[in-house]
Amino acid sequence: MDLIILALIAGFIIYRLYATLGEKTGYKEKKKGTPSNVVDFNKKQPTQKPQSTVETEEIDPAIRPAVQAITKTDPDFSLKSFAEGATIAFEMVLDAYAAGDLQLLKNLLSTDVYKAFKTVIAERNNKGHTLENTLIRVEEVVVERAVIKNNMAQISVRYITEQVPIIKDQDGEIIEGNPNQIDQVIDTWTFERSLKSRDPNWVLISTNA
C-alpha cells in the first residue's frame, strides 16, 4: 500500500479531550520519521489488479452504493486500504495530541479541529499537566457508514482500541488514570472528500466517542 499522510479531522468535545478520542484518550509516542500532511487512503499494491467487483461484493450492502460511486470517480479507491490509512491517521493524531505537538496536529487537522486541540493543549499546559497514553492495540476497525451528499463522499470508521491514558500534575504525580488498568476506547471518526476534486486526500470532519 502506498500510504501518504494527508489532511484530516474535525470536532472534539473540549473538556473530554483528555478522553476525547474515546471513553478515555491519549496515546503513546511511537511514530518516527518525517510526517506530511497527507494520508493516502487508496494504497495500491503494485502487483495487484485494480480493485473491482470482488471487493465491492464483500462490502456491507448498506454502504455499497456510496463505495461504488467513489470507485466510479476514483478506480484506484480501495475500502480496505482506506481503513488501513485511516487507522494510521488515528494513531498519529493520538500521539500528537498526547505529546502536544501542535505543528504535527496543524498538518493533520482541519482548521476548526486544530483550534479545539490547541485550546485544550494550552489549558493542559497552563495547569502544568501532562498526558501519557499508551495505545496497547487496535482491536477492531469497521467502516460503518458511507454516504454521498452534494458530491461529497463521507465515510465513518469505528475504532475499538485498548489504551492506558495517564494524566500527571506538574510534580509528576498521577491525577487521573491507572497505569495498571487498560481501558477499552470506542471512537467513530468521519472522513470527507469531494468527488469533483482530483485530490485523492480525505479530511477528517468529525470525531465521536
Side-chain angles (χ1 to χ4, degrees), residues 4 7 12 20 22 24 49 80 101 104-106 119 123 128 130 134 158 183 185:
I4 314 168
F12 263 50
T20 327
K24 294 219 171 190
K49 295 181 179 180
K80 178 181 178 182
D101 189 339
L104 178 55
L105 287 174
K106 189 172 184 179
T119 297
E123 291 176 353
T130 58
T134 301
R158 184 178 74 250
D183 296 331
V185 182

Side-chain angles (χ1 to χ4, degrees), residues 27 31 39 88-89 91 94 152 178 195 208:
Y27 50 97
K31 296 290 176 184
V39 178
I88 290 174
E91 296 182 21
L94 285 180
M152 298 297 290
N178 183 341
L195 295 182
N208 297 288

Side-chain angles (χ1 to χ4, degrees), residues 44-180:
K44 238 182 12 176
Q45 297 289 347
T47 58
Q48 289 182 340
K49 295 181 179 180
Q51 302 286 348
S52 59
T53 309
V54 174
E55 181 171 349
T56 301
E57 291 176 345
E58 294 176 347
I59 67 176
D60 188 331
I63 65 175
R64 185 176 299 163
V67 173
Q68 289 177 328
I70 296 170
T71 305
K72 183 177 181 180
T73 301
D74 179 6
D76 291 334
F77 178 80
S78 161
L79 195 62
K80 178 181 178 182
S81 294
F82 173 91
E84 292 171 349
T87 301
I88 290 174
F90 178 83
E91 296 182 21
M92 291 185 67
V93 172
L94 285 180
D95 287 342
Y97 172 68
D101 189 339
L102 294 177
Q103 185 57 54
L104 178 55
L105 287 174
K106 189 172 184 179
N107 290 331
L108 296 174
L109 310 181
S110 68
T111 300
D112 289 343
V113 180
Y114 172 73
K115 289 179 179 178
F117 272 73
K118 185 177 180 180
T119 297
V120 176
I121 290 173
E123 291 176 353
R124 188 172 74 200
N125 291 340
N126 289 337
K127 294 177 182 177
H129 294 173
T130 58
L131 172 62
E132 297 177 3
N133 187 58
T134 301
L135 177 60
I136 302 299
R137 71 184 180 117
V138 178
E139 293 182 340
E140 187 176 26
V141 177
V142 178
V143 175
E144 60 180 13
R145 177 176 172 271
V147 297
I148 305 294
K149 295 181 179 179
N150 299 321
N151 290 310
M152 298 297 290
Q154 294 183 359
I155 298 180
S156 296
V157 182
R158 184 178 74 250
Y159 307 91
I160 300 178
T161 63
E162 290 184 347
Q163 302 179 31
V164 180
I166 300 295
I167 297 175
K168 295 182 178 180
D169 63 19
Q170 56 189 357
D171 298 318
E173 296 296 325
I174 296 176
I175 58 176
E176 185 176 329
N178 183 341
N180 299 313

